[in-house]
Amino acid sequence: MTLNEKKEEKSQTLKNESNSDSWIIGKEFRFEAAHQLPNHDGKCARLHGHSWRGVIYIFGNKLITSGAKQGMIMDYGDIKKYIKPLLDNYLDHYHLNETTGLTNPTSEAIAKWIYEQLEDKIPGLVAVRIDETCTSQCIYSKGKIDFLMF
């Protein structure tokens, strides 16, 4: 299949999916952490900290039809249960270079790291957003970014 044929097939798939109901929900989380970017050519090469903000995005085209979670893609409380161990054991009030195993924990690397920790646990996970500062953010998705319209 040629590249143009693949693009056309993907476009048609998205068009077909857009004809049905779909939702993207997001659950915000926050943490305080330090990091150091050893290869950076400025002040970020030094150890420093941020008040980080993140959002877990989940896509669904079917809602739960019965029970206490009826009408939801997923309960926000359940999403919180998945992110809490990462916050408690690796992110909140930690030195990210040490706890994540990332040599160069940029926003991009942290977003991808969080996504990879959660991708087998959260059905419908499409992206992780990380805000390093109030004006600087990154969204990571593993080939699913087409679902996100920002």
Side-chain angles (χ1 to χ4, degrees):
M1 182 178 282
T2 69
L3 183 59
N4 284 339
E5 289 172 329
K6 285 182 183 179
K7 284 181 183 178
E8 179 60 34
E9 181 179 326
K10 186 175 184 179
S11 174
Q12 187 60 43
T13 300
L14 289 173
K15 187 182 281 186
N16 290 342
E17 289 174 356
S18 69
N19 291 334
S20 64
D21 290 338
S22 59
W23 296 266
I24 296 175
I25 61 171
K27 176 63 176 164
E28 182 177 312
F29 60 95
R30 294 177 182 266
F31 60 99
E32 307 292 328
H35 71 154
Q36 182 176 10
L37 305 179
N39 302 317
H40 195 268
D41 60 356
K43 61 186 177 181
C44 292
R46 297 190 300 265
L47 181 63
H48 64 284
H50 297 285
S51 294
W52 303 80
R53 174 187 174 267
V55 182
I56 304 297
Y57 291 104
I58 298 170
F59 170 83
N61 56 11
K62 290 183 172 59
L63 301 178
I64 299 169
T65 58
S66 62
K69 298 176 184 183
Q70 181 177 349
M72 301 177 184
I73 295 169
M74 176 180 274
D75 189 307
Y76 293 114
D78 291 341
I79 301 168
K80 185 177 179 179
K81 289 177 192 174
Y82 290 114
I83 193 66
K84 188 174 179 348
L86 296 181
L87 294 170
D88 292 347
N89 300 314
Y90 300 96
L91 300 173
D92 193 31
H93 286 81
Y94 283 102
H95 181 198
L96 300 177
N97 298 62
E98 295 173 0
T99 57
T100 63
L102 299 168
T103 307
N104 194 40
T106 61
S107 294
E108 295 88 343
I110 294 165
K112 182 178 180 184
W113 183 87
I114 293 170
Y115 185 100
E116 289 175 344
Q117 303 308 304
L118 298 174
E119 69 182 321
D120 292 335
K121 296 177 174 101
I122 301 179
L125 178 67
V126 289
V128 172
R129 175 178 169 159
I130 288 295
D131 296 7
E132 184 171 317
T133 68
C134 59
T135 61
S136 304
Q137 60 273 161
C138 167
I139 298 175
Y140 175 80
S141 178
K142 191 176 271 185
K144 299 173 186 170
I145 204 77
D146 293 331
F147 288 108
L148 298 174
M149 304 300 194
F150 290 98

